[in-house]
Amino acid sequence: MTKLIVDGKEIDVPPEYTLLQACEAAGAEIPRFCFHERLSIAGNCRMCLIEVQGIPKPQASCAMGVKDLAPNKDGTPKVLSTRTPMVKKAREGVMEFLLINHPLDCPICDQGGECDLQDQAMAYGVDASRYQENKRAVEEKYIGPLVKTIMTRCIQCTRCIRFAAEVAGVPELGAIGRGEDMEITTYLEQAMTSELQSNVVDLCPVGALTSKPYAFAARPWELNKTESIDVMDALGSAIRIDTRGREVMRILPRTNDAVNEEWISDKTRHVVDGLRTQRLDQPYLRVNGRLQQATWKEAFAAIAGKVKTAGGKRIGAIVGDLAGVEEMYALKDLIGRLGSANIDARQDGAALDPAWGRASYLFNATIAGIESADALLIVGSNPRREAAVLNARIRKRWRAGNFPIGLIGEKADLTYKYDYLGAGTESVANLGKSKFAEALKAATHPLIMIGAGALARADGAGVAALAAKAAIEFGALKDGWNGYSVLHSVASRVGALDLGLTPGAGGLDVAHMAEGGVDVLFLLGADEIEVAPGAFVIYIGTHGDRGAHRADVILPGAAYPEKSALYVNTEGRVQMANRAAFPPGDAREDWAILRALSGVLGHTLPYDSLAQLRQALFAAHPHFMRIDQIAAGDAADIQKLAKLAGSTDKAPLRSSVPEFYLTNPIARASATMAECSALANAATKTAAE
């Protein structure tokens, strides 16, 4: 540790700190535009100038390290000053230079109210400029359907360039020209292709890069802000939902170093318009082959009539990808009271079973644990499509060095280099004979990551057993480290498995129920399967998607920003999604629909409120009450998994997400996601040609 005196306060800081970090550790406030904690240091805005004892000129505190300070001859600590007249004058000068060419269009700027330049000009600037010449102007750039550019405002802090190159791993932004002619643009002004590109909007300290879909929709002071979590993938990224009245206006990231740091994917951010489109806002009943509007009473009566004639064993339920823990628990309770064991949450038919133990379906290494790993084997997964933010975490670890990565499955651009080991299961079985085996054996904390696509096959159990054997063989199971990690791609899966939403004794799985094995079938937001003709289908969901098209009765539910619900992410972390808005029309929260329906069916569920439901849930499954905590799996489960008997076929392993932007009903209802998908497919086609 190094002793420093900052504004008269003595502190000890690590030598690898920058002076900016040292000053902030002492409680001083340092303005900055180019510096960002998660990006490399550029040192080009000069707003963070401070005075250092013994150096006559003010110093850029972001670009000078504590270890770079020459010690005082008398051995006393170095003195740093952040509030002297020299510093004040220097910052005023820098701010004056920054505003020389900046268009002062704050009243009509979409960044107004959230602009770092605006805030810092008020705090550290002066009230007049000595510059009377014409301001420079820059042509607007097209960089895709998500990010709007007004590059005349750009102050060349280069945060966006560094993010694209370092975090996203798709270095499509760069600077051309020099001096006053410098401009930031994409190559040939093409659309950006990264799934994380919209994070540059949060990084931009001025209004040069703003959200195109959200442009001029609302001002920040009009919005109610609700902290919640994302359900577009299985990571559970921390988000903030901004609403105006009943309408969700935008979604922004929150910082959570254990999960998403401060990034979110473009799908998470821009799926907002899908929450307003094709919504189910009242019950429907199929009469003479056509869906007609109905009352709740009529819909419930039709369901009751069918359930009564069907009998318990001919009733089934399939749970969708966006369901919260509470409604899944209520549905399981209701189906059990009706005398049925036909319930399944594995729409894709994944070979996952709670009976194998919790560690068999968790990302046991944890998301933050990726940074502790020193070798990675990816089996049947494309993390860039299945969990874009987790892929950025892998890239972060790869950039730190000494991190060999091997891939078995389909080749893809993952934004980092890897050794391609093969496409099929034989590559997993013969892993010990490959060159990559040496890297795994040499690793202290090897990580074996299995994608959901590798398990959603007829031979999924065999693939899981092979991966478990590899984890044991290469030392991924040891005290303090479990490297066997399953990367799920849907938000409801881990919570459903924790609840035991798999067929009971003599029960039918998803495939058999969908093929006509039941007479009455409940779909709780299940839209990724085709149900054969014959069964009477009750769909509880939010959008007019595949499930609603097939349904005989539609009961309108609540989307994730419209309900308070628990979710469990891929690493087993219990998370709370808070209600930010209310469902449209006559739509209700899913658990409340099931509670009301249970009374009509003569099997009333024993809870009248969400609090009572959660009380019953916590009594049956205590780990759900520990919000933001992970109940770790037992490494012995992986030992048992490795002994599972199961043959494997030679078909190549595929990702569970062939199309990143259209993975669920909300995304498919979004015009923005449709535009992004069309651009991505066009780019893929062009590359193939």
Side-chain angles (χ1 to χ4, degrees):
M1 301 292 275
T2 305
K3 267 197 183 352
L4 295 175
I5 296 174
V6 179
D7 294 337
K9 181 179 179 181
E10 188 174 297
I11 57 163
D12 285 315
V13 294
E16 59 270 16
Y17 265 29
T18 62
L19 298 189
L20 186 150
Q21 291 170 309
C23 291
E24 291 199 328
E29 185 178 319
I30 307 292
R32 84 291 296 270
F33 293 115
C34 68
F35 177 80
H36 191 276
E37 289 81 357
R38 302 188 199 275
L39 303 176
S40 61
I41 292 168
N44 53 9
C45 77
R46 319 310 280 181
M47 194 64 209
C48 62
L49 294 173
I50 63 169
E51 186 175 349
V52 180
Q53 179 191 41
I55 303 178
K57 293 182 178 179
Q59 298 297 301
S61 60
C62 73
M64 179 177 269
V66 171
K67 62 186 175 187
D68 299 328
L69 292 173
N72 289 336
K73 290 180 180 178
D74 58 1
T76 56
K78 272 286 186 184
V79 176
L80 311 181
S81 302
T82 68
R83 296 197 289 263
T84 61
M86 178 210 274
V87 172
K88 184 174 183 293
K89 185 180 179 185
R91 288 177 182 169
E92 287 174 354
V94 168
M95 182 58 70
E96 191 175 2
F97 272 120
L98 287 173
L99 294 177
I100 277 175
N101 282 314
H102 192 79
L104 303 180
D105 52 0
C106 300
I108 55 132
C109 175
D110 210 32
Q111 192 94 334
E114 295 176 312
C115 176
D116 290 347
L117 184 64
Q118 197 176 49
D119 294 342
Q120 292 185 37
M122 288 291 292
Y124 302 103
V126 289
D127 62 349
S129 172
R130 294 169 287 176
Y131 190 82
Q132 302 299 324
E133 285 77 2
N134 292 329
K135 294 176 182 281
R136 76 165 192 162
V138 180
E139 273 189 38
E140 310 314 345
K141 314 296 181 192
Y142 173 77
I143 61 174
L146 302 180
V147 182
K148 177 185 174 185
T149 63
I150 303 181
M151 301 312 289
T152 300
R153 298 173 183 160
C154 179
I155 61 170
Q156 280 111 35
C157 70
T158 69
R159 278 186 181 183
C160 55
I161 296 175
R162 285 175 283 149
F163 173 83
E166 295 165 16
V167 179
V170 186
E172 297 167 317
L173 282 174
I176 58 173
R178 298 181 67 186
E180 194 178 52
D181 296 324
M182 179 177 165
E183 297 179 21
I184 289 171
T185 181
T186 57
Y187 181 64
L188 297 182
E189 295 194 24
Q190 293 177 328
M192 294 173 70
T193 59
S194 170
E195 295 83 2
L196 299 169
Q197 61 180 277
S198 293
N199 287 289
V200 300
V201 171
D202 299 326
L203 289 172
C204 184
V206 295
L209 303 175
T210 54
S211 172
K212 194 176 278 188
Y214 174 72
F216 305 114
R219 286 297 194 183
W221 53 83
E222 299 176 302
L223 305 175
N224 291 316
K225 300 164 180 65
T226 307
E227 293 187 352
S228 188
I229 58 113
D230 171 52
V231 300
M232 291 295 112
D233 55 32
L235 289 193
S237 299
I239 58 172
R240 193 187 85 196
I241 302 172
D242 287 2
T243 55
R244 184 174 60 190
R246 296 176 66 93
E247 190 175 7
V248 176
M249 300 303 296
R250 65 175 178 178
I251 292 173
L252 296 175
R254 286 188 296 120
T255 301
N256 184 344
D257 287 326
V259 180
N260 60 309
E261 299 185 293
E262 61 185 82
W263 320 122
I264 54 173
S265 73
D266 295 336
K267 183 166 56 175
T268 298
R269 186 188 301 264
H270 292 296
V271 81
V272 169
D273 60 327
L275 292 165
R276 302 189 277 266
T277 313
Q278 296 181 4
R279 285 302 299 270
L280 301 173
D281 57 0
Q282 63 185 73
Y284 287 85
L285 197 55
R286 194 175 293 277
V287 180
N288 299 324
R290 294 179 67 86
L291 286 168
Q292 296 182 3
Q293 296 177 8
T295 63
W296 282 100
K297 192 174 180 180
E298 290 167 347
F300 283 176
I303 296 168
K306 287 291 181 179
V307 168
K308 194 173 181 180
T309 58
K313 292 186 179 178
R314 299 294 295 174
I315 298 171
I318 299 174
V319 174
D321 295 343
L322 305 182
V325 169
E326 291 88 346
E327 57 252 36
M328 291 193 287
Y329 178 78
L331 179 62
K332 185 185 180 188
D333 198 354
L334 177 59
I335 293 297
R337 288 168 187 268
L338 292 172
S340 174
N342 306 322
I343 188 166
D344 204 345
R346 303 164 301 179
Q347 273 191 100
D348 54 4
L352 295 164
D353 194 332
W356 298 346
R358 198 162 187 258
S360 69
Y361 58 82
L362 291 186
F363 198 93
N364 294 292
T366 73
I367 296 165
I370 290 170
E371 295 185 34
S372 302
D374 46 10
L376 170 63
L377 174 67
I378 301 172
V379 180
S381 176
N382 180 340
R384 184 173 171 186
R385 284 203 298 243
E386 294 165 31
V389 175
L390 181 134
N391 194 62
R393 181 86 73 153
I394 296 173
R395 175 176 166 78
K396 178 183 178 183
R397 174 64 188 88
W398 173 77
R399 289 185 73 239
N402 193 26
F403 190 54
I405 301 172
L407 173 67
I408 297 174
E410 56 185 329
K411 284 185 176 179
D413 176 10
L414 298 181
T415 72
Y416 39 80
K417 291 180 181 177
Y418 58 81
D419 295 324
Y420 186 64
L421 308 178
T425 54
E426 68 276 6
S427 300
V428 185
N430 299 324
L431 186 60
K433 299 174 185 175
S434 67
K435 285 185 179 179
F436 190 74
E438 296 171 14
L440 284 173
K441 284 174 183 171
T444 310
H445 295 127
L447 175 54
I448 315 288
M449 188 169 83
I450 304 93
L455 304 173
R457 301 164 31 123
D459 62 346
V463 177
L466 281 176
K469 285 174 188 171
I472 295 165
E473 181 184 349
F474 294 107
L477 305 179
K478 55 185 70 172
D479 286 345
W481 180 257
N482 184 344
Y484 181 89
S485 300
V486 178
L487 177 60
H488 294 282
S489 52
V490 299
S492 67
R493 187 62 49 82
V494 175
L497 292 169
D498 281 353
L499 289 171
L501 262 67
T502 51
L508 303 177
D509 62 11
V510 162
H512 288 92
M513 284 190 277
E515 288 165 5
V518 293
D519 295 332
V520 176
L521 181 60
F522 288 86
L523 299 181
L524 183 60
D527 291 279
E528 314 306 321
I529 54 166
E530 296 285 354
V531 179
F536 183 83
V537 176
I538 301 112
Y539 176 76
I540 304 170
T542 59
H543 286 73
D545 208 85
R546 187 181 295 146
H549 282 246
R550 171 62 186 85
D552 295 288
V553 178
I554 294 174
L555 305 176
Y560 71 101
E562 300 158 2
K563 60 187 176 187
S564 176
L566 295 170
Y567 288 88
V568 187
N569 77 350
T570 191
E571 60 184 346
R573 184 185 300 275
V574 180
Q575 298 176 298
M576 176 75 79
N578 293 309
R579 182 168 64 190
F582 291 90
D586 284 339
R588 298 289 182 267
E589 291 186 47
D590 303 43
W591 76 266
I593 294 171
L594 292 164
R595 166 63 183 81
L597 178 60
S598 70
V600 177
L601 298 179
H603 295 278
T604 306
L605 296 175
Y607 24 81
D608 299 325
S609 67
L610 185 60
Q612 290 177 2
L613 190 161
R614 283 182 176 155
Q615 207 168 2
L617 170 69
F618 297 156
H621 305 276
H623 75 280
F624 282 119
M625 74 174 75
R626 293 190 279 275
I627 306 297
D628 205 36
Q629 294 182 38
I630 300 171
D634 187 351
D637 296 337
I638 311 304
Q639 303 278 359
K640 295 175 195 169
L641 186 62
K643 294 172 185 173
L644 275 181
S647 59
T648 56
D649 63 43
K650 293 186 178 180
L653 296 166
R654 301 280 180 201
S655 169
S656 60
V657 180
E659 172 57 83
F660 172 75
Y661 294 103
L662 305 175
T663 53
N664 59 61
I666 302 174
R668 287 192 287 269
S670 165
T672 306
M673 293 297 98
E675 188 177 355
C676 291
S677 176
L679 268 173
N681 290 332
T684 304
K685 189 177 178 183
T686 305
E689 289 170 354

